[in-house]
Amino acid sequence: MSGREAGRGPAETSTVADPDMLEVVPGAVRGRKLEGWIPELATPGEVREALEEAFDYRGDVLLTRKDGTTVEGYVFDRRSATTLEESLVRVLPKDSTPRVSIRYSEIAALAFTGRDMAAGKSWEAWLAHYWKKKAAGERDISLQPEKLE
């Protein structure tokens, strides 16, 4: 396959998309620092919104159930249904116990306790770092992963 069949047709003239808008996940609040945030969970809408933010967050959260028990860990899945009783969030606990499923209706409080591992790791931040090294005369500049804590 070649040409148009492979998606390599002539360049279409269109307006260039705003790169800042391309990185926004629907429903996420751009630029909000979530680390340390303790959202209000007074209404079902606030519970849903906070748990969506927790799902998009790349750090640990602390979930407090209405019975007083807590689970701290990484939210890796959520299943939103019509009611809070049917909706649930799935967590990988920090203490390495098996995965936990918690109904939205059981959650009394939520706190963003862990460091967002991707904060400040945008493409723009990497480019700024790259050009700084390039201006200093460095060669063979590459992306290196940050050491885990």
Side-chain angles (χ1 to χ4, degrees), residues 30-82:
R30 185 158 179 82
R32 175 192 279 179
K33 184 179 181 208
L34 296 176
E35 188 176 334
W37 181 46
I38 301 173
E40 292 283 329
L41 302 179
T43 67
E46 289 174 339
V47 171
R48 289 179 188 280
E49 182 181 330
L51 289 168
E52 280 300 313
E53 292 285 355
F55 176 70
D56 291 337
Y57 191 60
R58 283 102 4 143
D60 287 342
V61 298
L62 177 65
L63 293 165
T64 304
R65 292 185 180 119
K66 290 180 179 174
D67 67 3
T69 59
T70 61
V71 176
E72 186 171 14
Y74 180 75
V75 174
F76 72 94
D77 188 20
R78 85 284 186 231
R79 303 213 175 132
S80 185
T82 54

Side-chain angles (χ1 to χ4, degrees), residues 8-135:
R8 292 188 281 265
E12 295 179 20
T13 57
S14 65
T15 59
V16 176
D18 179 7
D20 289 332
M21 295 308 296
L22 293 175
E23 293 184 13
V24 176
V25 176
V29 180
R30 185 158 179 82
R32 175 192 279 179
K33 184 179 181 208
L34 296 176
E35 188 176 334
W37 181 46
I38 301 173
E40 292 283 329
L41 302 179
T43 67
E46 289 174 339
V47 171
R48 289 179 188 280
E49 182 181 330
L51 289 168
E52 280 300 313
E53 292 285 355
F55 176 70
D56 291 337
Y57 191 60
R58 283 102 4 143
D60 287 342
V61 298
L62 177 65
L63 293 165
T64 304
R65 292 185 180 119
K66 290 180 179 174
D67 67 3
T69 59
T70 61
V71 176
E72 186 171 14
Y74 180 75
V75 174
F76 72 94
D77 188 20
R78 85 284 186 231
R79 303 213 175 132
S80 185
T82 54
T83 67
L84 294 183
E85 184 63 34
E86 296 169 337
S87 303
L88 62 93
V89 63
R90 295 174 54 196
V91 181
L92 284 168
K94 192 175 186 177
D95 63 5
S96 300
T97 58
R99 297 173 180 175
V100 178
S101 294
I102 304 171
R103 294 183 190 282
Y104 283 21
S105 60
E106 295 175 13
I107 299 171
L110 168 67
F112 291 79
T113 55
R115 186 174 133 239
D116 186 345
M117 299 306 286
K121 306 277 191 301
S122 69
W123 174 247
E124 292 81 14
W126 183 84
L127 276 178
H129 187 68
Y130 172 86
W131 287 113
K132 182 179 174 185
K133 285 185 168 191
K134 184 102 171 154

Side-chain angles (χ1 to χ4, degrees), residues 131-147:
W131 287 113
K132 182 179 174 185
K133 285 185 168 191
K134 184 102 171 154
E138 289 188 39
R139 294 175 182 238
D140 297 325
I141 306 166
S142 64
L143 281 174
Q144 297 298 324
E146 184 177 301
K147 292 188 183 214

